């Protein structure tokens, strides 16, 4: 195995400076940034798109339909259209930075090299809050869903099973993860097709008074600026996960300069179409409804609608699919993304060096994978049944790091390299910054308090590095 730390930067390069010119090979490109090729390059564009789709969960509206429906007064499909438009600006920023810096680490690497190493550390530290807690949240949500179907099995038991299954799969290598992603995506799309098919048939038959209309997309009399902003806040959070594609930059078959960015945008658009179709059909089956009353009715809204569409069997099928998609499929890719972020930060000596270890045969960051598993298991057992507390903390890190990503695009392309592409390098990141900033500003108070405490801790770690003489420079000598 090669050394975990980066090699000296090429002559004339400075830490955080502009990206080096494209190399003839993937390995050459990575060496130009000061790293050795350690992870296995085997992923295609299709693999990355599937990975992103699984991360965002094509059937995610199943679990939160009632909440989104209430917040949008029935215009739930419009909510996801607004979310797509909003998140496209962030996806474009990811695309531009992934082309400039085709290395693992996601926003940590982009902010670190696009702005400076200290901002990069804070960006990486911020999104760690999201990445470390996301698998835990997914396990707890799935355990709660399956417990409602099989009450004899305690929730903590489901958490243990999910952690073990996903850890073994990720240990086997990124190709195993990619193969399972295809299987999970196929299963989710089959269930989704069943719901849409039976749902459209139910609408055509007029079940529950249903009829075809564009009300789920637009009800002019109810549309207000406040409702649009509220829908925007909900929708933006529904799309979190597409950013995980960038953590696999060093595992694509070529340099990743174009594939990663292209996959990010494609996956975001595809999942948005699926979100809009399924929520439009579901909303048609509850005509005249603008709110589900009570927590039970809100949480089970989609499953109850599935029963209207196809009967009890479809309700159970949809509920089980949602639980497994979250507990295994989504958690699997979340664990993979988190381990790559830990690997990247440890490789730069921002985190303990043992996390940068790569298995000599499977070419996976095995210790980082195991670390994520242990954290998820401990937190999952501790927070079992406390979905609300976890969800309030998860989103802060991602949103804060997105802000730094947009700043990095402007600094790297416009200020440092004098880009004349105003649309992509000035206007898009500016709009993205405003959208994400507004959502973050209006986030749950617990999320802001917990997130700020996490950032303060990160600042103290950064100060410790500087005071101990270790520094945070991305260019470290072996």
């Amino acid at each position: 195995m090669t050394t975990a730390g980066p090699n000296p930067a090429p002559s004339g390069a400075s830490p955080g400076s502009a990206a080096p010119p494209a190399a003839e090979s993937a390995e050459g490109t990575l060496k130009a940034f000061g790293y050795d090729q350690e992870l296995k390059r085997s992923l295609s564009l299709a693999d990355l798109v599937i990975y992103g789709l699984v991360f965002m969960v094509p059937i995610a509206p199943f679990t939160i339909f009632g909440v989104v429906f209430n917040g949008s007064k029935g215009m739930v499909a419009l909510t996801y259209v607004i979310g797509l438009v909003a998140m496209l600006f962030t996806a474009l920023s990811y695309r531009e930075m992934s082309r400039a810096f085709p290395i693992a680490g996601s926003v940590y690497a982009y902010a670190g090299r696009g702005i400076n190493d200290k901002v990069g550390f804070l960006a990486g530290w911020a999104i760690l809050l999201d990445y470390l807690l996301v698998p835990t949240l997914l396990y707890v949500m799935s355990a709660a869903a399956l417990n409602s179907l099989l009450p004899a099995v305690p929730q903590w038991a489901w958490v243990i099973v999910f952690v073990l299954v996903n850890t073994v799969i990720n240990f086997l290598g990124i190709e195993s993860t990619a193969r399972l992603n295809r299987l999970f995506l196929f299963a989710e799309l089959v269930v989704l097709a069943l719901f849409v098919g039976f749902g459209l048939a139910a609408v055509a038959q007029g079940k529950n008074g249903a009829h075809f209309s564009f009300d789920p997309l637009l009800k002019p009399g109810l549309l207000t600026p406040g409702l649009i902003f509220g829908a925007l806040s909900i929708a933006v959070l529904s799309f979190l996960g597409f950013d995980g594609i960038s953590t696999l930059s060093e595992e694509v078959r070529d340099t990743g300069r174009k594939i990663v960015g292209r996959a990010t945008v494609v996956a975001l658009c595809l999942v948005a179409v699926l979100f809009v179709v399924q929520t439009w059909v579901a909303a048609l089956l509850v005509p005249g409804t603008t709110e589900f009353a009570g927590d039970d009715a809100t949480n089970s809204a989609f499953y109850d609608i599935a029963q209207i569409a196809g009967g009890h069997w479809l309700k159970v099928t949809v509920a089980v699919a949602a639980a497994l998609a979250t507990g295994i499929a989504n958690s699997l890719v979340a664990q993979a993304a988190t381990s790559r972020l830990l690997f990247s930060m440890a490789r730069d000596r921002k985190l303990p060096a043992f996390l940068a270890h790569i298995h000599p045969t499977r070419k996976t960051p095995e210790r980082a994978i195991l670390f994520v598993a242990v954290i998820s298991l401990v937190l999952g057992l501790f927070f079992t049944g406390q979905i609300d507390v976890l969800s309030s903390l998860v989103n802060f890190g991602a949103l804060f790091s997105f802000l730094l990503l947009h700043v990095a695009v402007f600094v790297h392309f416009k200020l440092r390299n004098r880009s004349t592409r105003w649309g992509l390098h000035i206007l898009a990141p500016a709009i993205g910054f405003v959208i994400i900033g507004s959502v973050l500003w209006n986030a749950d108070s617990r999320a802001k308090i917990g997130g700020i405490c996490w950032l303060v801790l990160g600042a103290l770690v950064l100060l410790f590095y500087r005071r101990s003489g270790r520094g945070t420079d991305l260019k470290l000598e072996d």
Side-chain angles (χ1 to χ4, degrees):
M1 187 190 74
T2 54
T3 57
N7 297 324
S11 178
S14 60
S17 62
E24 293 182 358
S25 66
E27 183 176 356
T29 296
L30 201 55
K31 282 186 176 296
F33 286 101
Y35 300 117
D36 292 325
Q37 180 68 53
E38 298 180 272
L39 300 172
K40 185 176 182 179
R41 290 189 177 273
S42 60
L43 301 180
S44 65
L45 173 63
D47 290 327
L48 293 183
V49 171
I50 292 171
Y51 178 92
L53 289 174
V54 173
F55 209 148
M56 288 182 283
V57 189
I59 57 175
F62 287 9
T63 60
I64 60 172
F65 178 83
V67 175
V68 181
F69 189 96
N70 288 352
S72 62
K73 295 189 182 300
M75 291 178 286
V76 61
L78 176 64
T79 297
Y80 287 106
V81 172
I82 293 174
L84 170 63
V85 174
M87 293 312 292
L88 267 177
F89 295 103
T90 298
L92 288 174
S93 287
Y94 264 103
R95 187 190 70 175
E96 294 304 296
M97 294 305 283
S98 68
R99 290 179 175 179
F101 305 107
I103 54 180
S106 186
V107 70
Y108 154 70
Y110 302 155
R113 294 181 179 273
I115 305 176
N116 61 54
D117 54 283
K118 302 171 189 63
V119 176
F121 176 84
L122 289 178
W125 184 265
I127 207 166
L128 264 181
L129 178 63
D130 175 26
Y131 277 21
L132 287 175
L133 290 180
V134 160
T136 302
L137 174 61
L138 297 173
Y139 293 137
V140 171
M141 290 174 62
S142 295
L146 290 178
N147 181 253
S148 66
L149 297 175
L150 299 171
V153 181
Q155 294 187 37
W156 59 262
W158 288 117
V159 171
I160 293 175
V161 170
F162 289 143
V163 171
L164 289 177
V165 169
N166 287 338
T167 301
V168 169
I169 295 172
N170 274 317
F171 253 90
L172 293 176
I174 193 63
E175 291 171 313
S176 297
T177 303
R179 284 193 293 268
L180 264 295
N181 284 341
R182 291 175 182 272
L183 177 62
F184 287 134
L185 180 61
F186 176 77
E188 290 181 44
L189 293 179
V190 168
V191 174
L192 181 56
L194 285 174
F195 171 77
V196 172
F198 279 93
L200 289 174
V203 174
Q205 295 167 15
K207 286 187 178 181
N208 200 40
H211 59 278
F212 289 102
S213 76
F214 289 103
D215 284 351
L217 280 170
L218 182 62
K219 296 179 180 178
L222 297 177
L223 192 62
T224 64
L227 186 142
I228 292 176
F229 178 80
L232 174 62
S233 300
I234 298 172
V236 164
L237 301 181
S238 298
F239 285 100
L240 293 184
F242 70 91
D243 51 292
I245 294 175
S246 62
T247 64
L248 304 180
S249 291
E250 293 177 30
E251 293 167 88
V252 295
R253 289 175 185 166
D254 68 358
T255 63
R257 286 188 183 274
K258 291 185 177 181
I259 286 183
V260 171
R262 189 178 302 148
T264 300
V265 176
V266 170
L268 182 65
C269 292
L270 285 178
V271 84
V273 171
L274 297 177
F275 286 173
V276 169
V277 170
Q278 64 192 276
T279 55
W280 174 65
V281 173
L284 289 177
L285 288 167
V286 284
T289 303
T290 57
E291 183 177 4
F292 295 100
D295 290 340
D296 290 342
T298 300
N299 294 334
S300 64
F302 201 97
Y303 309 129
D304 293 337
I305 292 172
Q307 181 158 326
I308 295 173
H312 183 69
W313 73 270
L314 185 58
K315 176 179 180 178
V316 173
T317 300
V318 165
V320 171
L324 295 181
T326 303
I328 296 183
N330 195 4
S331 303
L332 177 68
V333 295
Q335 185 185 49
T338 307
S339 64
R340 269 60 177 182
L341 176 61
L342 292 172
F343 159 76
S344 181
M345 295 185 72
R347 179 176 60 180
D348 288 337
R349 301 176 187 176
K350 307 298 193 305
L351 292 177
F354 80 92
L355 294 172
H357 181 269
I358 297 295
H359 191 279
T361 303
R362 292 187 291 269
K363 301 298 182 182
T364 58
E366 57 178 355
R367 294 177 183 173
I369 292 172
L370 182 60
F371 180 79
V372 176
V374 172
I375 293 294
S376 298
L377 181 60
V378 172
L379 293 179
L381 295 177
F382 181 80
F383 284 105
T384 296
Q386 302 181 60
I387 297 175
D388 188 49
V389 176
L390 273 174
S391 60
S392 67
L393 295 172
V394 163
N395 298 315
F396 182 94
L399 295 175
F400 184 83
S401 66
F402 289 172
L403 289 179
L404 296 181
L405 169 72
H406 290 302
V407 174
V409 171
F410 176 76
V411 171
H412 174 71
F413 288 103
K414 180 57 183 175
L415 298 186
R416 182 177 295 153
N417 291 297
R418 306 299 179 185
S419 171
T420 57
R421 303 181 70 181
W422 286 75
L424 283 175
H425 300 152
I426 299 177
L427 185 59
I431 295 175
F433 185 93
V434 170
I435 292 173
I436 299 300
S438 64
V439 174
L440 189 58
W441 180 263
N442 290 279
D444 184 273
S445 59
R446 292 172 300 177
K448 288 188 283 189
I449 292 173
I452 290 173
C453 290
W454 178 256
L455 290 178
V456 170
L457 179 59
L460 292 176
V461 173
L462 184 62
L463 180 62
F464 169 76
Y465 281 156
R466 292 180 61 81
R467 289 293 179 86
S468 63
R470 292 175 62 184
T472 57
D473 198 329
L474 288 176
K475 181 173 76 68
L476 296 170
E477 301 291 340
D478 288 331

